[in-house]
Structures are given as structure tokens and as C-alpha cells.
Amino acid sequence: MAAVAAGLALGGGLLLAAWRWLRGADGAGAAAAAGASMRGKTVIITGANSGLGRAAAAELLRMRARVIMGCRDRARAERAAREIRAELGERAGAGGELVVRELDLASLRSVRAFCHRVLQEEPRLDVLINNAGIFQCPYMKTEDGFEMQFGVNHLGHFLLTNLLLGLLKNSAPSRIVVVSSKLYKYGEINFEDLNSEISYNKSFCYSRSKLANILFARELARRLEGTGVTVNSLHPGIVRTNLGRYVNIPLLAKPLFNLVSWAFFKTPLEGAQTSIYLASSPDVEGVSGKYFGDCKEEELLPKAMDDLVARKLWDISEVMVGLLK
């Protein structure tokens, strides 16, 4: 019996390895397809010190962009920047640059300070990638009293984007890329309890924040028609990142989970391909208000295309972040 179990485990492992290798080849092809030159362009990526953001930063640096890493933990971001430069070595495109700036999306004060510095120091901004996020955390609040997932994933990026819109318009053609999730499908915008003070479910609240990302991107795209600034949202797929640090996996199940995630989850570079594509590819020049996955446009559920809800969410968000009194 033990020999049978060992044989099954070995066979399963080989099958998973083959699957993983084939999927890795597909990811490499997508990376090559997105490899337009970004020389002379400035890109801001939130949450760029790990996961999808780090992978996108490295790839865009290789494509010669000036990449501003907007990160909450400056020390970790500086370490990530050093590692990226060392990993790329001579492959880092001449003219590319990595710059670290402190940005805590759980603090509107920090968002304003970050934007003030960008507007003071940067003559142009070609791409803004709203990538940072928090996933299914216990109930907690931001510095300004917002439920953490809605506050970081939606409101922090809402304020950030609005404060940088002038620079993006002046740099047109420019692009805004909003990282959402397929889990938006399980979210609802409850205007009676946006701050989850009546009830809190960490899974539902994450999904709601991701639905808010898509509605924000659609409404922003509508408002920016004719300006030369495009806005698109995306889902990266299931990716092995530290986003799930608040998800508890039983100790005995961890070996199996690790094997399954290694085989079937995307690597950060594979998961970042759609962000890189929307930030750099000439194929999407002028495309706006769309939703992408695996570098292709995808259909949305009706609730993610509800323009009345999108406009109401915009109006309320403006008040919540202090853009309107």
C-alpha cells in the first residue's frame, strides 16, 4: 500500500511538473508579446516591492522605463530595487531607472504627500498601475477610519489617481491600469454599509473592493474620453504571492497546498503579464474602459457595467477621500 501511495504521489508530481512547465512556456510567450520599448516613459506602480508589482517593475525596467515604486515599507522597497537591479544586470535597459517612494494607501495623508512629491519632481507620467492590495484581512480600519480592504484597494487608489490626473493628461497619450480580480463576481456595492460597520465578511469585502475597482475604471474612462488618457482594468489570475498572508491553511494541508500552488498557480511574472501588456503594448493604444485577462479583453457581469452605480460610487468616494466637502 505504501508503495502504491508513493507511486501515485510520484506520478502526480510528474504530471504537475509537466503542466507547470507548459504553462511557464505560455507565460514567456506573453512576456515577449508585451515587450515594446518604454524608453523615456515614467511609470508609477503601487505595491511594487513584491508579487505582481515587483515583477512588473522588473520587466518595465528591462524595457527602459523610469519606474517609480510606490511602497508602504521603504526599507523593503529599497531591498527589492537592489535585488531587481542585480537580477537584471546587463539586461536592464539603458535609460531605465528604479526610484523608490514611500506610499501607504491606508493613509490619505501619505497618498497626498506621495502625489505632492511626484508633482514637484516628475515632468511627466506615462503610466499609472494601481496594483497594491490587501486580501481577506481581519476587520481593521485605515488611518482615516475606513474598512481596510475598501480603504486600501479602492479609496486609496481613487485619491491617488485623481491627484495625478493633471500630470497624466499633460503627458498624454498616457495610461491607467487598474488591477482587479475575478472575485469581483462575488461582491456587491452596499451603499448603506460601505465601511462594513453593520456586518463584516472578509471574503465578501475583498470582492466588493475589486468590484469597486472595475466600476471606478469604467467611470474614469468615461470621464477621460478625448483626453488621450486611457483606463483599463484586469484580473491577473490565481498567482503565488504574499497577498494571501491572512488566509489560514491547516498545518497538515500545507504540503498539499504548496504542491498544488506550485503546479497550478501563476508565478508573479506570469500574473503580471496583463499589467505589463496594458502598460506597454501598442496593441491597446487608445483602448479604454475595458476589462482584460491573460492579455485579452474579457466580458464583465452586468453588475460591473452598471453606470448608475459607478457614478454614485464615484460621487461618494469623492466625499470620503475629501476631494469634495
Side-chain angles (χ1 to χ4, degrees):
M1 182 65 70
V4 172
L8 288 173
L10 178 60
L14 290 173
L15 286 172
L16 292 175
W19 175 270
R20 184 77 191 79
W21 181 83
L22 288 170
R23 224 172 26 78
D26 290 343
S37 173
M38 295 290 285
R39 188 182 185 93
K41 295 188 176 183
T42 298
V43 181
I44 290 176
I45 308 176
T46 66
N49 61 287
S50 64
L52 298 174
R54 185 189 187 282
E59 193 66 11
L60 291 167
L61 175 65
R62 187 187 63 77
M63 296 158 64
R64 303 183 178 185
R66 171 179 166 83
V67 180
I68 299 174
M69 304 168 65
C71 304
R72 179 176 56 85
D73 188 325
R74 186 178 183 90
R76 287 183 61 200
E78 293 282 9
R79 183 166 62 250
R82 288 194 299 270
E83 291 170 355
I84 290 170
R85 295 186 192 104
E87 289 165 9
L88 289 180
E90 293 182 358
R91 290 183 298 145
E97 183 180 6
L98 276 183
V99 179
V100 172
R101 295 286 180 263
E102 187 173 333
L103 170 63
D104 182 358
L105 289 156
S107 164
L108 299 184
R109 173 183 50 80
S110 176
V111 173
R112 291 181 182 278
F114 172 85
C115 292
H116 178 75
R117 184 168 183 181
V118 168
L119 296 176
Q120 289 289 314
E121 296 179 351
E122 304 298 329
R124 63 182 301 108
L125 176 58
D126 300 276
V127 182
L128 170 63
I129 303 179
N130 290 340
N131 166 82
I134 188 167
F135 178 73
Q136 296 189 9
C137 62
Y139 186 76
M140 57 182 82
K141 291 186 175 182
T142 68
E143 178 180 289
D144 305 279
F146 305 127
E147 184 276 312
M148 185 64 72
Q149 295 187 89
F150 190 74
V152 169
N153 298 352
H154 170 61
L155 291 174
H157 283 118
F158 179 89
L159 179 61
L160 175 80
T161 306
N162 273 281
L163 294 179
L164 295 176
L165 274 184
L167 185 56
L168 284 158
K169 289 177 181 177
N170 291 338
S171 307
S174 54
R175 306 180 184 191
I176 300 169
V177 178
V178 179
V179 179
S180 181
S181 165
K182 274 191 172 181
L183 293 177
Y184 86 86
K185 297 176 181 179
Y186 306 103
E188 301 290 340
I189 304 297
N190 178 7
F191 289 109
E192 302 304 313
D193 192 26
L194 282 179
N195 214 30
S196 302
E197 294 177 332
I198 298 174
S199 65
Y200 180 73
N201 178 289
K202 63 182 183 179
S203 299
F204 167 80
C205 286
Y206 177 77
S207 295
R208 178 169 62 188
S209 73
K210 296 290 100 179
L211 175 58
N213 288 158
I214 296 170
L215 291 168
F216 164 58
R218 285 178 59 85
E219 175 63 11
L220 182 58
R222 185 188 69 81
R223 291 170 179 252
L224 291 176
E225 287 179 3
T227 64
V229 183
T230 60
V231 191
N232 292 290
S233 59
L234 68 99
H235 75 82
I238 305 176
V239 186
R240 294 196 310 275
T241 70
N242 65 358
L243 191 64
R245 59 189 176 275
Y246 292 110
V247 178
N248 293 318
I249 300 169
L251 183 62
L252 293 177
K254 281 190 176 181
L256 178 60
F257 175 80
N258 290 337
L259 178 62
V260 170
S261 66
W262 174 81
F264 295 106
F265 290 12
K266 293 180 178 180
T267 66
L269 179 57
E270 290 167 349
Q273 288 308 305
T274 307
S275 294
I276 298 164
Y277 174 76
L278 291 174
S280 64
S281 176
D283 294 347
V284 288
E285 185 71 43
V287 175
S288 193
K290 305 299 181 182
Y291 173 72
F292 287 79
D294 292 325
C295 302
K296 298 184 295 290
E297 186 180 338
E298 294 191 1
E299 293 295 320
L300 286 164
L301 294 180
K303 65 181 176 182
M305 298 187 291
D306 191 324
D307 291 336
L308 291 178
V309 171
R311 292 177 191 182
K312 184 174 181 179
L313 178 63
W314 181 286
D315 292 341
I316 291 174
S317 299
E318 279 187 316
V319 175
M320 293 180 79
V321 301
L323 289 173
L324 287 181
K325 301 299 182 183

